[in-house]
Amino acid sequence: MTTTLTQTKAAPQSGRTPQAGTTAGPGAAVEPSINQPASKRTTPAPAIARRVAGAVGSGLWKSAAVLAFLALWELGPTYLASPSTRVFLPPLHEVLLAWGKLFEAGTIQGHIAASLTRSVSGFGAALVAGVSLGLLIAWYGRLNSVLNPLLELFRNTAALALLPVFMLLLGIGEESKISIVAYAAFFPVLLNTIAGVKTVDPLLIRAARSLGLNNFRLFQKVILPSAVPTIFTGIRMAGTASILVLIAAEMVGARAGLGYLIVNAQSSFLIPDMYAGILTVSLLGLGVNFLLVALERHFSRWRTAVGSAAS
């Protein structure tokens, strides 16, 4: 028995590490588990800082030209132009102060609402008519041969050249302004819709026909998805044209709207208010373009999915 006890005390300790779930002794170092879930892993602070710095640097580089223009607008009239020129070209901070006063008085909001109502009404009518007629003309060749000469005649007639005609026939009210906007926005949508449908791959149409798709399903599943990028190019052009033509129409005969604000401020010698209206028109056009680009990405998301699958 003495020999057995001695052998038990002298037995070497096992070199194996404790299994998961066992409690380590006091002072023992706890190593992190390599099987830690990815959701609990934290990104190192230097990596986050590099990402933020890269995003900020990219944003500054993309907006460098705009920032340079704004700086020139602010410093140029003050330090480079003569006092007489500064009267007609105020620095940027004076324009922003005038815009703030117009906003506090509620004036600028009313003019924006009036212009947007007219522009959206005319643009919506042009969008529905342009896409519908464009699909018909592109699909039926005889209709294209009949209407193409007339469409080319009106397409090459400037919208502002017909403004007096619209005002004589429809008056100086809302009808003439909405109609001139619809006329200016109609042709970009129409022509790009025709081009988009005509450039659809014929193999896709034949494959859809072989699968038994009728005309409605063919338009829904093949023609429209393939033509969406070209159609939205025309829609973006029409959105820009609708705003520009409307501003010109409001300068001629209107009692509200951004065009009326600009020409009225100019005639009243309120030069900062005039530039505030011009700046509002620029920002409005930029916002409309961003909205249309977002809609184009939404309706063309199948292209991104196909590209991701191919890669």
Side-chain angles (χ1 to χ4, degrees):
M1 174 158 317
T2 306
T3 305
T4 304
L5 292 175
T6 305
Q7 292 177 352
T8 303
K9 292 180 182 179
Q13 295 182 353
S14 176
R16 292 178 299 174
T17 57
Q19 299 294 326
T22 59
T23 304
V30 180
E31 297 181 357
S33 175
I34 60 174
N35 296 324
Q36 186 177 2
S39 59
K40 294 183 179 181
R41 298 174 186 173
T42 58
T43 305
I48 298 177
R50 286 195 298 269
R51 292 178 184 177
V52 173
V56 172
S58 177
L60 290 176
W61 176 254
K62 292 179 180 179
S63 59
V66 176
L67 295 176
F69 171 75
L70 295 178
L72 180 62
W73 189 359
E74 173 64 28
L75 302 176
T78 305
Y79 299 102
L80 301 178
S82 61
S84 59
T85 304
R86 183 176 178 178
V87 175
F88 301 102
L89 184 62
L92 179 60
H93 74 274
E94 294 184 8
V95 175
L96 295 179
L97 289 176
W99 194 94
K101 293 179 181 179
L102 292 173
F103 183 82
E104 291 178 359
T107 305
I108 195 73
Q109 295 93 314
H111 291 301
I112 292 175
S115 295
L116 279 179
T117 301
R118 297 162 182 159
S119 181
V120 170
S121 301
F123 177 74
L127 181 61
V128 174
V131 172
S132 302
L133 186 58
L135 292 176
L136 291 175
I137 292 176
W139 192 252
Y140 297 102
R142 293 184 178 180
L143 187 62
N144 183 22
S145 61
V146 171
L147 294 180
N148 186 62
L150 182 63
L151 293 175
E152 288 294 329
L153 175 64
F154 281 100
R155 183 179 71 89
N156 291 283
T157 303
L160 293 179
L162 296 177
L163 179 59
V165 178
F166 281 96
M167 295 183 66
L168 288 174
L169 295 178
L170 301 176
I172 60 174
E174 299 298 316
E175 292 83 3
S176 61
K177 297 174 181 58
I178 294 176
S179 299
I180 195 69
V181 169
Y183 178 86
F186 171 74
F187 289 100
V189 177
L190 174 70
L191 297 177
N192 281 272
T193 301
I194 295 174
V197 173
K198 286 186 175 181
T199 54
V200 176
D201 191 353
L203 294 178
L204 295 177
I205 299 178
R206 293 175 185 174
R209 291 292 192 188
S210 65
L211 294 175
L213 269 69
N214 55 25
N215 288 335
F216 177 76
R217 298 291 292 177
L218 180 64
F219 267 97
Q220 182 184 12
K221 297 297 184 180
V222 178
I223 302 296
L224 284 179
S226 300
V228 158
T230 308
I231 293 175
F232 261 96
T233 301
I235 290 175
R236 291 172 61 184
M237 295 171 60
T240 303
S242 64
I243 295 177
L244 297 179
V245 172
L246 175 64
I247 298 302
E250 288 177 343
M251 290 181 176
V252 177
R255 292 295 177 218
L258 293 174
Y260 169 76
L261 170 65
I262 293 171
V263 72
N264 184 64
Q266 184 266 338
S267 60
S268 302
F269 212 71
L270 300 173
I271 306 302
D273 291 359
M274 180 190 73
Y275 281 101
I278 296 173
L279 185 61
T280 304
V281 172
S282 301
L283 295 177
L284 182 62
L286 190 63
V288 170
N289 183 69
F290 280 155
L291 177 61
L292 293 177
V293 169
L295 289 175
E296 180 181 1
R297 290 176 179 173
H298 173 74
F299 288 106
S300 301
R301 61 184 182 274
W302 62 270
R303 301 175 66 195
T304 305
V306 171
S308 300
S311 61

